[in-house]
Amino acid sequence: MKELLQKAKSVDLFQKLGDSSYSHFKLEKAAEWYDKLFAMTADLEPVYYYRYAESLRFICENEKADAILEKLKTKGTVKKKV
């Protein structure tokens, strides 16, 4: 699996892996995937900021969760899909 991830690193991949872990209540794993996602880009929909922050809180990384939510606040307007 590691080799596949090295070759196929993409925003879409990390979103899907994070979302899958999050929806199955595997928040520790979700935090890992969202961490990789946010390392690639911060140009994400607000839901990813909230899911990442919630996952971080689950593993008691409250300061990092607060920082993620602060980034969302300073991000400004939210892009809407047409």
Side-chain angles (χ1 to χ4, degrees):
M1 175 113 170
K2 277 188 177 182
E3 291 174 15
L4 175 64
L5 287 176
Q6 291 299 324
K7 292 179 183 177
K9 284 185 181 179
S10 72
V11 170
D12 186 55
L13 174 67
F14 290 133
Q15 284 176 323
K16 288 178 180 177
L17 289 169
D19 291 347
S20 177
S21 296
Y22 184 87
S23 67
H24 289 97
F25 303 105
K26 296 178 180 178
L27 298 182
E28 186 173 351
K29 196 65 174 170
E32 290 178 34
W33 294 125
Y34 290 138
D35 188 54
K36 292 178 186 311
L37 174 63
F38 274 77
M40 293 184 81
T41 184
D43 187 25
L44 297 163
E45 295 179 35
V47 68
Y48 289 102
Y49 286 82
Y50 289 112
R51 288 178 181 175
Y52 186 27
E54 192 171 50
S55 299
L56 289 169
R57 289 199 194 288
F58 178 78
I59 58 174
C60 300
E61 289 192 28
N62 295 325
E63 288 181 25
K64 194 170 180 180
D66 291 341
I68 292 297
L69 292 176
E70 280 301 313
K71 286 182 184 179
L72 177 60
K73 287 181 188 177
T74 60
K75 188 176 175 183
T77 58
V78 177
K79 293 181 182 179
K80 292 185 178 181
K81 290 187 176 181
V82 177

Coordinates of all heavy atoms in Angstrom, one line a residue:
M1 N 0.8 -1.2 0.0 CA 0.0 0.0 0.0 C 0.9 1.3 0.0 O 0.5 2.2 -0.6 CB -0.9 0.0 1.2 CG -1.7 1.2 1.4 SD -3.5 0.9 1.1 CE -4.2 2.4 1.6
K2 N 2.0 1.2 0.7 CA 2.9 2.4 0.8 C 3.4 2.8 -0.6 O 3.4 4.0 -1.0 CB 4.1 2.2 1.7 CG 3.8 2.4 3.1 CD 5.0 2.3 3.9 CE 4.8 2.6 5.4 NZ 6.0 2.6 6.2
E3 N 3.7 1.8 -1.4 CA 4.2 2.1 -2.8 C 3.1 2.7 -3.6 O 3.4 3.7 -4.3 CB 4.7 0.8 -3.4 CG 6.0 0.3 -2.8 CD 6.4 -1.1 -3.4 OE1 5.9 -1.5 -4.4 OE2 7.2 -1.7 -2.7
L4 N 1.9 2.2 -3.5 CA 0.8 2.8 -4.2 C 0.6 4.2 -3.8 O 0.4 5.1 -4.7 CB -0.5 2.0 -4.0 CG -1.7 2.5 -4.6 CD1 -1.6 2.5 -6.1 CD2 -2.9 1.7 -4.1
L5 N 0.6 4.5 -2.5 CA 0.4 5.9 -2.1 C 1.5 6.8 -2.6 O 1.3 8.0 -2.9 CB 0.4 5.9 -0.5 CG -0.9 5.4 0.1 CD1 -0.8 5.4 1.6 CD2 -2.1 6.2 -0.4
Q6 N 2.8 6.3 -2.6 CA 3.9 7.2 -3.1 C 3.7 7.6 -4.5 O 4.0 8.7 -4.9 CB 5.2 6.4 -2.9 CG 5.6 6.2 -1.5 CD 5.8 7.5 -0.7 OE1 6.3 8.5 -1.3 NE2 5.5 7.6 0.5
K7 N 3.1 6.7 -5.3 CA 2.9 6.9 -6.7 C 1.7 7.7 -7.0 O 1.6 8.5 -7.9 CB 2.8 5.6 -7.5 CG 4.1 4.8 -7.5 CD 3.9 3.5 -8.3 CE 5.2 2.7 -8.3 NZ 5.1 1.4 -8.9
A8 N 0.7 7.6 -6.2 CA -0.6 8.1 -6.5 C -1.0 9.3 -5.5 O -2.2 9.5 -5.3 CB -1.7 7.1 -6.4
K9 N -0.1 9.9 -4.9 CA -0.4 11.0 -4.0 C -1.2 12.1 -4.8 O -0.7 12.6 -5.8 CB 0.9 11.6 -3.4 CG 1.5 10.8 -2.4 CD 2.7 11.5 -1.8 CE 3.4 10.7 -0.7 NZ 4.5 11.4 -0.1
S10 N -2.3 12.4 -4.3 CA -3.1 13.4 -4.9 C -4.1 14.0 -3.8 O -4.4 13.3 -2.8 CB -3.9 13.0 -6.1 OG -4.9 12.1 -5.7
V11 N -4.6 15.2 -4.0 CA -5.5 15.8 -3.1 C -6.8 14.9 -3.1 O -7.3 14.6 -2.0 CB -5.9 17.2 -3.6 CG1 -7.1 17.7 -2.8 CG2 -4.7 18.1 -3.4
D12 N -7.3 14.4 -4.2 CA -8.5 13.6 -4.3 C -8.3 12.3 -3.5 O -9.2 11.9 -2.8 CB -8.8 13.3 -5.7 CG -10.1 12.6 -5.9 OD1 -11.2 13.1 -5.4 OD2 -10.1 11.5 -6.5
L13 N -7.1 11.7 -3.6 CA -6.9 10.4 -2.9 C -6.9 10.6 -1.4 O -7.6 9.9 -0.7 CB -5.5 9.8 -3.3 CG -5.1 8.6 -2.5 CD1 -6.0 7.4 -2.8 CD2 -3.6 8.3 -2.8
F14 N -6.3 11.7 -0.9 CA -6.2 11.9 0.5 C -7.6 12.3 1.1 O -8.0 12.0 2.2 CB -5.1 12.9 0.9 CG -3.8 12.3 0.7 CD1 -2.8 13.0 0.1 CD2 -3.4 11.1 1.2 CE1 -1.5 12.5 -0.1 CE2 -2.2 10.5 1.1 CZ -1.2 11.3 0.4
Q15 N -8.4 13.0 0.2 CA -9.7 13.4 0.6 C -10.6 12.1 0.8 O -11.3 12.0 1.8 CB -10.4 14.3 -0.4 CG -9.9 15.7 -0.4 CD -10.6 16.5 -1.5 OE1 -10.7 16.0 -2.6 NE2 -10.9 17.8 -1.2
K16 N -10.5 11.2 -0.2 CA -11.3 10.0 -0.1 C -10.8 9.1 1.1 O -11.7 8.5 1.8 CB -11.2 9.2 -1.4 CG -11.9 9.9 -2.5 CD -11.8 9.2 -3.8 CE -12.6 10.0 -4.9 NZ -12.5 9.4 -6.2
L17 N -9.5 9.0 1.3 CA -9.1 8.1 2.4 C -9.5 8.7 3.7 O -9.9 8.0 4.6 CB -7.5 8.0 2.3 CG -7.0 7.1 1.2 CD1 -5.5 7.2 1.0 CD2 -7.5 5.6 1.4
G18 N -9.3 10.0 3.9 CA -9.7 10.7 5.1 C -11.2 10.6 5.3 O -11.7 10.3 6.4
D19 N -12.0 10.8 4.3 CA -13.5 10.7 4.4 C -13.9 9.3 4.8 O -14.8 9.1 5.6 CB -14.2 11.1 3.1 CG -14.0 12.6 2.8 OD1 -13.6 13.4 3.7 OD2 -14.3 13.0 1.7
S20 N -13.3 8.3 4.2 CA -13.6 6.9 4.5 C -13.4 6.6 5.9 O -14.2 6.0 6.6 CB -12.9 6.0 3.6 OG -13.2 4.6 3.9
S21 N -12.2 7.0 6.4 CA -11.8 6.8 7.8 C -12.8 7.5 8.7 O -13.3 7.0 9.7 CB -10.4 7.2 8.1 OG -9.5 6.4 7.3
Y22 N -13.1 8.8 8.4 CA -13.9 9.6 9.2 C -15.3 9.0 9.3 O -15.9 8.9 10.4 CB -14.0 11.0 8.6 CG -14.8 12.0 9.4 CD1 -14.2 12.7 10.4 CD2 -16.1 12.2 9.1 CE1 -14.9 13.6 11.2 CE2 -16.9 13.1 9.9 CZ -16.3 13.8 10.9 OH -17.0 14.7 11.6
S23 N -15.9 8.6 8.1 CA -17.2 8.0 8.1 C -17.3 6.7 8.8 O -18.4 6.3 9.3 CB -17.8 7.9 6.7 OG -17.0 6.9 6.0
H24 N -16.2 6.0 9.0 CA -16.2 4.7 9.8 C -15.7 4.9 11.2 O -15.4 4.0 11.9 CB -15.3 3.7 9.0 CG -16.0 3.2 7.8 ND1 -15.6 3.7 6.6 CD2 -16.9 2.3 7.6 CE1 -16.3 3.1 5.6 NE2 -17.1 2.2 6.2
F25 N -15.7 6.2 11.7 CA -15.3 6.5 13.0 C -13.9 6.1 13.4 O -13.6 5.8 14.5 CB -16.4 6.0 14.0 CG -17.7 6.5 13.8 CD1 -18.7 5.7 13.2 CD2 -18.1 7.8 14.0 CE1 -20.0 6.1 12.9 CE2 -19.4 8.3 13.7 CZ -20.3 7.4 13.2
K26 N -13.1 6.0 12.4 CA -11.6 5.7 12.6 C -10.9 7.1 12.6 O -10.2 7.4 11.7 CB -11.1 4.8 11.6 CG -11.8 3.4 11.7 CD -11.3 2.5 10.6 CE -12.0 1.2 10.7 NZ -11.6 0.2 9.7
L27 N -11.2 7.9 13.6 CA -10.7 9.3 13.6 C -9.2 9.4 13.7 O -8.7 10.4 13.2 CB -11.5 10.1 14.7 CG -13.0 10.1 14.5 CD1 -13.6 11.0 15.6 CD2 -13.4 10.7 13.2
E28 N -8.6 8.5 14.4 CA -7.1 8.6 14.5 C -6.5 8.5 13.1 O -5.6 9.2 12.7 CB -6.6 7.5 15.4 CG -5.1 7.6 15.6 CD -4.6 6.7 16.7 OE1 -5.4 6.0 17.4 OE2 -3.4 6.6 16.8
K29 N -7.0 7.5 12.3 CA -6.6 7.3 10.9 C -7.0 8.5 10.0 O -6.2 8.9 9.2 CB -7.1 6.0 10.4 CG -6.4 5.5 9.2 CD -4.9 5.2 9.5 CE -4.2 4.6 8.3 NZ -2.8 4.5 8.5
A30 N -8.2 9.0 10.3 CA -8.7 10.1 9.5 C -7.7 11.3 9.7 O -7.4 12.0 8.7 CB -10.1 10.5 9.9
A31 N -7.3 11.5 10.9 CA -6.4 12.7 11.2 C -5.1 12.5 10.4 O -4.6 13.5 9.9 CB -6.1 12.7 12.7
E32 N -4.6 11.3 10.3 CA -3.4 11.1 9.5 C -3.6 11.4 8.1 O -2.7 12.1 7.5 CB -3.0 9.6 9.6 CG -2.5 9.2 11.0 CD -2.1 7.7 11.0 OE1 -1.6 7.2 10.0 OE2 -2.3 7.1 12.0
W33 N -4.7 11.0 7.5 CA -5.0 11.3 6.1 C -5.2 12.8 5.8 O -4.7 13.3 4.9 CB -6.2 10.5 5.5 CG -5.9 9.0 5.5 CD1 -6.7 8.0 6.1 CD2 -4.9 8.3 4.9 NE1 -6.2 6.8 5.9 CE2 -5.0 6.9 5.1 CE3 -3.8 8.7 4.1 CZ2 -4.2 5.9 4.6 CZ3 -2.9 7.7 3.6 CH2 -3.1 6.4 3.9
Y34 N -6.0 13.4 6.7 CA -6.2 14.8 6.6 C -4.9 15.6 6.8 O -4.8 16.7 6.2 CB -7.3 15.3 7.5 CG -8.7 14.8 7.2 CD1 -9.6 14.3 8.1 CD2 -9.2 14.8 5.8 CE1 -10.9 13.9 7.8 CE2 -10.4 14.3 5.5 CZ -11.3 13.9 6.5 OH -12.5 13.4 6.2
D35 N -4.1 15.1 7.6 CA -2.8 15.8 7.8 C -2.0 15.8 6.5 O -1.4 16.8 6.1 CB -2.0 15.1 8.9 CG -0.7 15.8 9.3 OD1 -0.8 17.0 9.6 OD2 0.4 15.2 9.2
K36 N -2.0 14.7 5.8 CA -1.3 14.6 4.5 C -2.0 15.5 3.5 O -1.4 16.2 2.7 CB -1.3 13.2 4.0 CG -0.4 12.3 4.8 CD -0.5 10.8 4.3 CE 0.3 9.8 5.2 NZ 1.6 10.2 5.6
L37 N -3.3 15.5 3.5 CA -4.1 16.4 2.6 C -3.8 17.9 2.8 O -3.5 18.6 1.9 CB -5.6 16.2 2.9 CG -6.6 17.1 2.1 CD1 -6.5 16.8 0.6 CD2 -8.0 16.8 2.6
F38 N -3.7 18.3 4.1 CA -3.5 19.7 4.4 C -2.0 20.0 4.1 O -1.7 21.2 3.9 CB -3.9 20.0 5.8 CG -5.3 20.4 5.9 CD1 -6.3 19.5 5.9 CD2 -5.7 21.8 6.0 CE1 -7.6 19.8 6.0 CE2 -7.0 22.1 6.1 CZ -8.0 21.1 6.1
A39 N -1.1 19.1 4.1 CA 0.3 19.3 3.7 C 0.4 19.6 2.2 O 1.3 20.3 1.8 CB 1.1 18.1 4.1
M40 N -0.6 19.1 1.5 CA -0.6 19.3 0.0 C -1.2 20.6 -0.4 O -0.8 21.3 -1.3 CB -1.3 18.2 -0.7 CG -0.6 16.9 -0.6 SD -1.4 15.6 -1.6 CE -0.7 16.0 -3.2
T41 N -2.3 21.0 0.3 CA -3.1 22.2 -0.1 C -3.9 22.6 1.1 O -4.3 21.8 1.9 CB -4.0 21.9 -1.3 OG1 -4.6 23.2 -1.7 CG2 -5.0 20.9 -1.0
A42 N -4.2 23.9 1.1 CA -5.2 24.5 2.1 C -6.4 25.0 1.4 O -7.3 25.5 2.0 CB -4.5 25.6 2.9
D43 N -6.4 24.8 0.1 CA -7.5 25.3 -0.8 C -8.6 24.2 -0.8 O -8.8 23.5 -1.8 CB -7.0 25.6 -2.2 CG -8.1 26.2 -3.0 OD1 -9.1 26.8 -2.4 OD2 -8.0 26.1 -4.3
L44 N -9.3 24.1 0.4 CA -10.2 23.0 0.6 C -11.6 23.6 1.0 O -11.6 24.7 1.6 CB -9.7 22.0 1.6 CG -8.4 21.3 1.2 CD1 -7.8 20.7 2.4 CD2 -8.7 20.2 0.2
E45 N -12.6 22.8 0.9 CA -13.9 23.2 1.3 C -13.9 23.2 2.9 O -13.2 22.4 3.5 CB -15.0 22.2 0.8 CG -15.1 22.3 -0.7 CD -16.2 21.3 -1.2 OE1 -17.2 21.0 -0.5 OE2 -15.9 20.7 -2.3
P46 N -14.7 24.0 3.5 CA -14.8 24.1 5.0 C -15.0 22.8 5.7 O -14.5 22.6 6.8 CB -15.9 25.1 5.2 CG -16.0 25.9 4.0 CD -15.6 25.0 2.9
V47 N -15.7 21.9 5.1 CA -16.0 20.6 5.7 C -14.7 19.9 6.1 O -14.6 19.2 7.1 CB -16.9 19.7 4.9 CG1 -16.3 19.2 3.6 CG2 -17.5 18.5 5.7
Y48 N -13.7 20.0 5.2 CA -12.4 19.3 5.5 C -11.7 19.9 6.7 O -11.1 19.2 7.5 CB -11.5 19.3 4.3 CG -12.1 18.4 3.3 CD1 -12.8 18.9 2.2 CD2 -12.0 17.0 3.4 CE1 -13.3 18.0 1.3 CE2 -12.5 16.1 2.5 CZ -13.2 16.6 1.4 OH -13.8 15.8 0.6
Y49 N -11.8 21.2 6.9 CA -11.3 21.9 8.1 C -12.0 21.3 9.4 O -11.3 21.0 10.4 CB -11.4 23.4 8.0 CG -10.5 24.1 7.1 CD1 -10.8 24.1 5.7 CD2 -9.3 24.7 7.5 CE1 -10.0 24.7 4.8 CE2 -8.5 25.3 6.6 CZ -8.8 25.3 5.2 OH -8.0 25.9 4.4
Y50 N -13.3 21.2 9.3 CA -14.0 20.7 10.5 C -13.7 19.3 10.8 O -13.5 18.9 11.9 CB -15.5 20.9 10.3 CG -15.9 22.4 10.4 CD1 -16.4 23.1 9.2 CD2 -15.9 23.1 11.6 CE1 -16.8 24.4 9.3 CE2 -16.2 24.4 11.6 CZ -16.7 25.1 10.5 OH -17.0 26.4 10.6
R51 N -13.7 18.5 9.7 CA -13.4 17.0 9.9 C -12.0 16.8 10.5 O -11.8 16.0 11.4 CB -13.6 16.3 8.6 CG -15.0 16.1 8.3 CD -15.2 15.4 7.0 NE -16.6 15.3 6.6 CZ -17.0 14.8 5.5 NH1 -16.1 14.3 4.6 NH2 -18.3 14.7 5.2
Y52 N -11.1 17.6 9.9 CA -9.7 17.5 10.4 C -9.6 17.9 11.9 O -9.0 17.2 12.7 CB -8.8 18.3 9.5 CG -7.3 18.2 9.8 CD1 -6.7 17.1 10.3 CD2 -6.4 19.2 9.4 CE1 -5.4 17.0 10.5 CE2 -5.1 19.2 9.7 CZ -4.5 18.0 10.2 OH -3.2 17.9 10.4
A53 N -10.2 19.0 12.2 CA -10.2 19.5 13.6 C -10.9 18.5 14.5 O -10.3 18.3 15.6 CB -10.9 20.9 13.7
E54 N -12.0 18.0 14.1 CA -12.7 17.0 15.0 C -11.8 15.7 15.2 O -11.8 15.2 16.3 CB -14.0 16.6 14.4 CG -14.9 15.9 15.3 CD -16.3 15.7 14.7 OE1 -16.5 15.3 13.6 OE2 -17.3 16.0 15.5
S55 N -11.2 15.3 14.1 CA -10.3 14.1 14.2 C -9.1 14.4 15.1 O -8.7 13.6 15.9 CB -9.8 13.7 12.8 OG -10.8 13.4 12.0
L56 N -8.6 15.6 15.0 CA -7.5 16.0 15.9 C -7.9 16.1 17.4 O -7.2 15.6 18.3 CB -6.9 17.3 15.5 CG -6.1 17.3 14.2 CD1 -5.8 18.8 13.7 CD2 -4.8 16.6 14.3
R57 N -9.1 16.6 17.6 CA -9.6 16.6 19.0 C -9.7 15.2 19.6 O -9.5 15.0 20.7 CB -10.9 17.4 19.1 CG -10.7 18.9 18.9 CD -11.9 19.6 19.4 NE -11.9 21.0 18.9 CZ -11.1 21.9 19.3 NH1 -10.1 21.7 20.2 NH2 -11.1 23.1 18.8
F58 N -10.2 14.3 18.7 CA -10.3 12.9 19.2 C -9.0 12.3 19.7 O -9.0 11.5 20.6 CB -10.9 12.0 18.0 CG -11.0 10.6 18.3 CD1 -12.1 10.2 19.1 CD2 -10.1 9.7 17.9 CE1 -12.3 8.8 19.4 CE2 -10.3 8.3 18.3 CZ -11.4 7.9 19.0
I59 N -7.9 12.7 19.1 CA -6.6 12.2 19.5 C -5.9 13.2 20.4 O -4.7 13.1 20.6 CB -5.7 11.8 18.3 CG1 -5.5 13.0 17.3 CG2 -6.3 10.6 17.6 CD1 -4.5 12.6 16.2
C60 N -6.7 14.1 21.0 CA -6.2 15.0 22.0 C -5.2 16.0 21.5 O -4.3 16.5 22.3 CB -5.7 14.3 23.2 SG -7.0 13.3 24.0
E61 N -5.2 16.4 20.2 CA -4.4 17.4 19.7 C -5.2 18.7 19.5 O -5.4 19.2 18.4 CB -3.8 16.9 18.4 CG -2.7 15.8 18.5 CD -1.9 15.6 17.3 OE1 -1.7 16.5 16.5 OE2 -1.5 14.4 17.1
N62 N -5.6 19.2 20.7 CA -6.5 20.3 20.7 C -5.9 21.6 20.2 O -6.6 22.4 19.5 CB -7.1 20.6 22.1 CG -7.9 19.4 22.6 OD1 -8.6 18.8 21.8 ND2 -7.8 19.0 23.8
E63 N -4.7 21.9 20.4 CA -4.0 23.1 19.9 C -3.9 23.1 18.4 O -4.2 24.1 17.8 CB -2.6 23.3 20.6 CG -2.7 23.6 22.0 CD -1.3 23.8 22.6 OE1 -0.3 24.1 21.9 OE2 -1.2 23.7 23.8
K64 N -3.6 22.0 17.9 CA -3.5 21.8 16.4 C -4.9 22.0 15.8 O -5.1 22.6 14.8 CB -2.9 20.5 16.0 CG -2.5 20.4 14.6 CD -1.7 19.1 14.3 CE -1.2 19.1 12.9 NZ -0.5 17.8 12.6
A65 N -5.9 21.4 16.5 CA -7.3 21.6 16.0 C -7.7 23.0 16.0 O -8.4 23.5 15.0 CB -8.3 20.7 16.9
D66 N -7.4 23.7 17.1 CA -7.7 25.2 17.1 C -7.0 25.9 16.0 O -7.6 26.8 15.4 CB -7.3 25.8 18.5 CG -8.2 25.2 19.6 OD1 -9.3 24.7 19.4 OD2 -7.7 25.3 20.8
A67 N -5.8 25.6 15.7 CA -5.1 26.3 14.7 C -5.7 26.0 13.3 O -5.8 26.9 12.5 CB -3.6 25.8 14.6
I68 N -6.2 24.8 13.1 CA -6.9 24.5 11.8 C -8.2 25.4 11.7 O -8.4 25.9 10.6 CB -7.2 23.0 11.7 CG1 -5.9 22.2 11.6 CG2 -8.2 22.7 10.6 CD1 -5.1 22.5 10.3
L69 N -8.9 25.5 12.7 CA -10.1 26.3 12.7 C -9.8 27.8 12.5 O -10.6 28.5 11.9 CB -11.0 26.0 13.9 CG -11.6 24.6 14.0 CD1 -12.3 24.4 15.3 CD2 -12.5 24.3 12.8
E70 N -8.7 28.2 13.1 CA -8.3 29.6 12.9 C -8.0 29.9 11.4 O -8.3 30.9 10.9 CB -7.1 30.0 13.8 CG -7.5 30.3 15.2 CD -8.5 31.4 15.3 OE1 -8.3 32.5 14.7 OE2 -9.5 31.3 16.1
K71 N -7.3 28.9 10.8 CA -7.0 29.0 9.4 C -8.3 29.2 8.6 O -8.3 29.9 7.6 CB -6.2 27.8 8.9 CG -4.8 27.8 9.3 CD -4.0 26.6 8.7 CE -2.6 26.6 9.3 NZ -1.9 25.4 8.7
L72 N -9.3 28.4 9.0 CA -10.6 28.5 8.2 C -11.2 29.9 8.4 O -11.7 30.5 7.4 CB -11.6 27.5 8.8 CG -13.0 27.5 8.2 CD1 -12.9 27.3 6.6 CD2 -13.9 26.5 8.8
K73 N -11.1 30.5 9.6 CA -11.6 31.8 9.9 C -10.9 32.9 9.0 O -11.5 33.8 8.5 CB -11.5 32.2 11.3 CG -12.4 31.5 12.2 CD -12.2 31.9 13.7 CE -13.0 31.1 14.7 NZ -12.7 31.6 16.0
T74 N -9.6 32.7 8.9 CA -8.8 33.7 8.2 C -8.8 33.5 6.7 O -8.4 34.3 5.9 CB -7.3 33.8 8.7 OG1 -6.8 32.5 8.5 CG2 -7.3 34.1 10.1
K75 N -9.3 32.4 6.3 CA -9.4 32.0 4.9 C -10.3 33.0 4.1 O -10.1 33.2 2.9 CB -9.8 30.6 4.7 CG -9.7 30.1 3.3 CD -10.1 28.6 3.2 CE -10.1 28.2 1.8 NZ -10.6 26.8 1.6
G76 N -11.3 33.5 4.7 CA -12.1 34.5 4.1 C -13.3 33.8 3.5 O -13.9 32.9 4.1
T77 N -13.7 34.3 2.3 CA -14.9 33.8 1.7 C -14.8 32.3 1.3 O -13.7 31.9 0.9 CB -15.3 34.6 0.4 OG1 -14.2 34.5 -0.5 CG2 -15.5 36.1 0.8
V78 N -15.8 31.6 1.3 CA -15.9 30.2 0.9 C -16.2 30.1 -0.6 O -17.2 30.8 -1.0 CB -16.9 29.5 1.8 CG1 -17.0 28.0 1.4 CG2 -16.5 29.6 3.3
K79 N -15.5 29.3 -1.3 CA -15.8 29.1 -2.7 C -17.0 28.2 -2.8 O -17.1 27.3 -2.1 CB -14.6 28.4 -3.4 CG -13.4 29.3 -3.5 CD -12.3 28.5 -4.2 CE -11.0 29.3 -4.3 NZ -10.0 28.6 -5.0
K80 N -17.9 28.6 -3.7 CA -19.1 27.8 -4.0 C -18.9 27.1 -5.3 O -18.5 27.7 -6.3 CB -20.3 28.7 -3.9 CG -20.7 29.2 -2.6 CD -22.0 30.0 -2.6 CE -22.3 30.5 -1.2 NZ -23.5 31.2 -1.2
K81 N -19.4 25.9 -5.3 CA -19.3 25.2 -6.6 C -20.6 25.6 -7.4 O -21.6 25.7 -6.9 CB -19.3 23.6 -6.4 CG -18.1 23.1 -5.8 CD -18.1 21.6 -5.8 CE -16.7 21.1 -5.3 NZ -16.7 19.7 -5.2
V82 N -20.4 25.7 -8.7 CA -21.5 26.1 -9.6 C -22.1 24.8 -10.2 O -21.5 23.9 -10.5 CB -21.0 27.0 -10.7 CG1 -22.1 27.4 -11.6 CG2 -20.4 28.3 -10.1

